[in-house]
Every structure is written in structure tokens, then in C-alpha cells.
Amino acid sequence: GTPQTYTWTLHRLDAGARELAGFPVALPDVPFCGLAVGRDGTAYLNCEGEDATTASGVTSVRAIRPDGSTADGWPVVLQGGGTINGFRPDGAVVITTVDERGWRIAVIRPDGTSAPGWPRGAPVGSTVAIDGSGRIHVTAHEWSEGQCGPAIRTRYNVLRRDGTKVPGWPVTLRGWASEPLVADDGSMTILTRNGRAIRYGRSGRIAGGWPVTGVGVSVGCYSGSVPVSAGKDGAVVVGDGHATRLTNSGRIARGWPVDL
């Protein structure tokens, strides 16, 4: 049947909960709209609907400035369902789309044009993270067909700003491993099913002092623990009833883990 639609409206409030000038902004009546806000305050909305001519799914991505006006060059219409993954440092928005052709990653600049080298195909079920230099980290899990259980293979890839692969990647691990916690410097920390925490540098090599073993990890049918925070003093992992703090040198910090 026809998908149920809803009425969507974008509001922008000040600290006193008062509506700002130029708002509210009416959006299309569609089944779903998602929201992400860029560093300059522009609101990007991925509104999924249907092409009236072809009856195929499309995503209309809108860019609403802080004054409530639509940015020049927008909306941008993409085929399939779309998810906003985040933003590159240059303000380009990174979007994953899914349709009958498969999974694709699009990078749309603030003027509504595609960044050079994009879109790019991606493995089914890919997740995306963006580091401080605008490189895109793509994680893909592979499961046994028709079987409920942790992934049998996990692959991490890193793409340059122009969409080409970074030397040293992809990195492939047997079995389930977590989605990465990506740092601004391009390094990333992941967890494996057997309780190892591994940090990879920008080149795809394991950082000195890593991996860390004996980290509490919880793994379910299709997902599991991920590193939950990172900073100059290391990362924190929550799993198996414990919180574990890892130092940047690849050790469990003194006094940790903590029982939850």
C-alpha cells in the first residue's frame, strides 16, 4: 500500500525557548525526515518520499539557513532512502543512500553540487564515520546467510576526500569487530569479540603498545560494544557489565575496569 505520510515542520528556538525569526519552516508531507546541523548552523534534512513519476523511493535533502531561508542549490534529490552521516571540515555533507542498485556514499558541497569523485558504491550495510581531515571511514560486516549470530568478517576502509582508497587500507578482521571510534587525527579504535581493543593509525597499522587484551565486550546477534568516548587521555569502553578506560599508550588505566 501507499506509505503513511506525516506533516513535518522545522523549528529553531533561542535559549529561552522562543521561536526565532524565519521559523517555523514547513517541510514536505513524507514518511520520514531526519535532521543534522552543520557547523555554520545550517540545518540539513533528509526527507524520504516517492517519485511521483517513477514511484521509486527518493530522498530530498534540504539545507535551511539559520534565518529560515533555503540555501542556494538546494534541495538536492537522491535516489533511494538517505541517511546523513555527518560533515567534512569543508562543510560538505556526507550521505549514505540505499536503493535497488545497492549502497552508495554521496558527498554534497554547501552549494548543492557533488564533490569531485563522488558518489561511490559501498558494501551492503556499511556504516560511515568522518575524521578531522575529511577522510571517510567505511565499516562493513559480513554475516552467514540466514543465520543469527555475530559477523564472520569485518572490513575497515578509508577513502580520501576525492573518494580514492588510502594506502594501507582496507583492514580485514575475522569474526565480529565493532564500529570504530574515529579520532580527529584519523586514528581509530575498535573492539573484537574476544575482548581486544585495537588502535589503528592513519596508515592502517596498529599503533605502538596496542592491542589491549582483557577488555569487557558484549556481543549480540548482530551488534556489540563500541568504544564510547575518546580524548587526549584515552578511550572508554562499556561492555560485559564493566567500564574500561584505555590509555593512548595501549594499557588499561590504573583503577579500571569499574563494575557497573
Side-chain angles (χ1 to χ4, degrees):
T2 302
Q4 185 174 358
T5 61
Y6 302 90
T7 298
W8 300 86
T9 307
L10 178 65
H11 296 269
R12 189 165 184 257
L13 310 177
D14 66 13
R18 294 178 292 269
E19 191 90 59
L20 294 176
F23 292 84
V25 173
L27 301 172
D29 291 345
V30 293
F32 173 80
C33 276
L35 170 67
V37 181
R39 294 181 180 180
D40 64 353
T42 298
Y44 291 85
L45 300 114
N46 53 304
C47 296
E48 297 182 13
E50 187 176 272
D51 187 302
T53 303
T54 64
S56 60
V58 296
T59 296
S60 177
V61 185
R62 297 168 178 265
I64 308 298
R65 295 190 184 101
D67 63 2
S69 63
T70 297
D72 294 338
W74 301 82
V76 173
V77 177
L78 303 173
Q79 295 300 309
T83 300
I84 296 176
N85 304 118
F87 301 90
R88 297 195 316 193
D90 61 1
V93 57
V94 180
I95 305 168
T96 301
T97 62
V98 183
D99 64 8
E100 64 276 2
R101 299 173 300 171
W103 292 62
R104 297 173 71 79
I105 300 170
V107 179
I108 311 297
R109 295 183 292 195
D111 64 0
T113 60
S114 290
W118 302 91
R120 296 268 176 170
V124 172
S126 295
T127 57
V128 170
I130 307 154
D131 67 28
S133 60
R135 303 188 317 168
I136 294 178
H137 297 242
V138 182
T139 302
H141 291 97
E142 181 182 337
W143 281 273
S144 296
E145 187 174 353
Q147 179 179 347
C148 174
I152 60 174
R153 189 173 296 105
T154 306
R155 176 173 292 184
Y156 302 98
N157 211 345
V158 180
L159 306 177
R160 296 187 181 99
R161 290 166 60 92
D162 64 359
T164 57
K165 293 181 180 180
V166 174
W169 302 87
V171 171
T172 303
L173 300 179
R174 300 176 93 186
W176 176 90
S178 72
E179 294 181 19
L181 184 64
V182 176
D184 281 344
D185 65 3
S187 65
M188 68 180 205
T189 304
I190 62 101
L191 304 173
T192 67
R193 184 182 182 185
N194 60 1
R196 290 193 307 158
I198 307 173
R199 175 168 291 179
Y200 292 95
R202 288 176 59 88
S203 64
R205 296 183 178 180
I206 297 176
W210 296 75
V212 181
T213 59
V215 179
V217 178
S218 299
V219 181
C221 191
Y222 295 111
S223 63
S225 302
V226 298
V228 294
S229 68
K232 64 180 181 179
D233 296 325
V236 175
V237 173
V238 176
D240 194 30
H242 302 87
T244 305
R245 181 178 171 187
L246 309 174
T247 69
N248 287 328
S249 61
R251 298 176 183 272
I252 296 177
R254 182 177 297 178
W256 297 74
V258 175
D259 293 337
L260 302 178

